[in-house]
Amino acid sequence: MTGSRLEEFSDMEFDVLKEISNIGAGNATTAISTMMNLKVDMHVPVIKFLEFKELAEVIGGAENVVVGILLALQSDIDGMMMFVMEKKAAESIVSNILPGADGGEPTGDRDFTEMELSVLQELGNIIAGSYLSAISSLTNMCITSSVPYLSVDMAGAILSVPAIEYGKVSDKALLIQSEFGDKALTVDGYFILIPTLDAFEKIFNSLGLNL
Amino acid sequence: MGNMIKVGMADMNTCAGADAITTLGLGSCIGVVIYDPVKKVCGMVHVMLPDSSIIRNNDNPAKFADTGIKCLIDSVCKMGTTKSALLAKMAGGAQMFAFNTDNDMLKVGLRNAEACRTVLAKNNIKLVSEDCGDRFGRTIEFYPATCELYVKAIGKPLKII
């Protein structure tokens, strides 16, 4: 790695991260499409480094209610990973997977039932797991994750958790935005990978990028 | 009603008179308000981490409880008040995810609140009230004219401390 800070990633390193997220998003989309029994299209994920202030703006403002699913990473890589989606999108997904459980249109302001929360947790688990297996098969590293933790709250509050972790090494965070869905239902998912700086280095090293 | 001045994450600002100051979506971070109840001046800092001395990347003083509160005191004093006249209120420091691990990095909300209390005490600034901990995000607004701190959370009634 060229520098000790995230801002100093080279184009080459960025491309590697992009490729990893592309593969991860592909895996995740396949998993979701199977789970929801839908034909799901996906777009090329957008990857960017954002200032903390901008992070919440991308996800609809600091007070926008979102669903955040967080997993702690262990073994070869230490860190956290987080999947964030808007509450409305989460409502569409649960009503798709659990038809008739509630039936209402997604309004963005109802509470989730235990069952629905569990579905969302599992969804986060699958998505995060897909990204993880992409990284681990590319790099030949063993990465295990904790059970998923879920929280429904203001975007600013949810994002403060990864922001604080990033805050130790940088003023910016790495955001991977992926969009998936079919014609009737589009879900914007935001994926935030929060490895420690050492972990980034390990990923690059294992791919032969000894910069 | 005056203007609403926004304070971002790891940011600080001051405000006076009829204006109000706010920070949105506090999670494990803490919003600390320092104010002079007589002169009606105040400042707010949105700190993310407890201690700047153990972190390599510590260029931004507003990010940390120790340096952030110190800077905030200086800024508020520049508005024509003295340190001895200052009082404080704070909110935030939630644990957003219900972890059952003993991983230290996840208890940062608690540690942030503790660090803020310590720094305020060290500077002899009385912490009048606080709303910290629990598991939900908060938006706070402070009105220097009335010295009221509004704490808003999703699905909860407005709290004034």
Side-chain angles (χ1 to χ4, degrees), chain A residues 4-5 52-53 62-63 65 68-70 79-80 82 149-151 153-154 156-158 160-161 163-165 167-171 197, chain B residues 9 24-29 48-49 55-57 59 63 96-101 105-106 108 112 135-139 152-154:
Chain A
S4 60
R5 295 176 62 159
F52 296 141
K53 299 187 263 221
E63 285 188 297
V65 182
I69 297 150
L70 184 76
M80 291 192 255
M82 184 182 248
Y149 300 97
L150 183 131
S151 178
D153 212 311
M154 290 184 256
I158 298 227
S160 74
V161 178
I164 284 172
E165 266 324 292
K168 293 176 184 169
V169 291
S170 172
D171 288 314
L197 213 53
Chain B
M9 203 178 259
L24 308 175
L26 282 166
S28 301
C29 304
M48 294 170 68
L49 288 160
I55 306 284
R56 256 184 305 171
N57 176 35
D59 309 336
K63 201 152 81 176
M96 294 308 299
F97 291 89
F99 289 104
N100 46 13
T101 70
M105 95 184 185
L106 307 167
V108 70
N112 274 339
R135 284 193 180 147
F136 52 85
R138 297 165 170 91
T139 281
K152 299 174 182 172
I154 303 287

Side-chain angles (χ1 to χ4, degrees), chain A:
Chain A
M1 182 176 300
T2 45
S4 60
R5 295 176 62 159
L6 292 169
E7 288 90 332
E8 291 161 15
F9 278 172
S10 66
D11 288 350
M12 179 78 160
E13 288 165 328
F14 241 128
D15 281 347
V16 167
L17 291 176
K18 263 188 202 159
E19 189 50 30
I20 291 176
S21 4
N22 237 331
I23 296 171
N27 285 2
T29 311
T30 315
I32 291 166
S33 125
T34 313
M35 189 165 162
M36 294 175 60
N37 203 11
L38 271 179
K39 184 177 164 291
V40 176
D41 303 320
M42 68 166 283
H43 301 259
V44 179
V46 182
I47 303 192
K48 42 197 166 186
F49 270 118
L50 287 175
E51 300 252 356
F52 296 141
K53 299 187 263 221
E54 302 166 322
L55 203 57
E57 294 309 316
V58 172
I59 308 182
E63 285 188 297
N64 190 24
V65 182
V66 298
V67 176
I69 297 150
L70 184 76
L71 297 97
L73 309 182
Q74 285 124 18
S75 298
D76 287 350
I77 289 185
D78 283 325
M80 291 192 255
M81 96 174 4
M82 184 182 248
F83 181 73
V84 181
M85 60 193 155
E86 292 210 28
K87 188 156 179 248
K88 247 186 179 165
E91 285 180 9
S92 317
I93 291 177
V94 289
S95 56
N96 228 298
I97 294 175
L98 295 174
D102 117 279
E105 281 292 299
T107 54
D109 58 6
R110 68 185 181 87
D111 286 333
F112 289 114
T113 62
E114 281 291 311
M115 186 62 189
E116 289 168 334
L117 286 175
S118 173
V119 165
L120 287 172
Q121 256 175 349
E122 191 46 32
L123 191 80
N125 209 7
I126 291 171
I127 293 170
S130 310
Y131 272 96
L132 277 185
S133 64
I135 299 175
S136 87
S137 61
L138 262 175
T139 57
N140 253 333
M141 286 192 285
C142 167
I143 308 169
T144 55
S145 64
S146 69
V147 293
Y149 300 97
L150 183 131
S151 178
V152 184
D153 212 311
M154 290 184 256
I158 298 227
L159 291 169
S160 74
V161 178
I164 284 172
E165 266 324 292
Y166 263 113
K168 293 176 184 169
V169 291
S170 172
D171 288 314
K172 290 184 174 179
L174 181 72
L175 180 87
I176 300 159
Q177 179 181 0
S178 55
E179 191 184 296
F180 52 86
D182 66 350
K183 286 192 184 68
L185 167 75
T186 310
V187 175
D188 259 327
Y190 304 90
F191 175 80
I192 302 163
L193 186 63
I194 316 136
T196 58
L197 213 53
D198 294 350
F200 270 126
E201 209 162 341
K202 273 188 194 160
I203 294 177
F204 293 140
N205 278 338
S206 70
L207 292 168
L209 282 173
N210 300 312
L211 298 168

Side-chain angles (χ1 to χ4, degrees), chain B residues 63-81:
Chain B
K63 201 152 81 176
F64 305 95
D66 54 348
T67 50
I69 291 176
K70 198 167 160 284
C71 275
L72 186 64
I73 294 170
D74 293 344
S75 310
V76 177
C77 282
K78 276 187 199 138
M79 299 172 81
T81 175

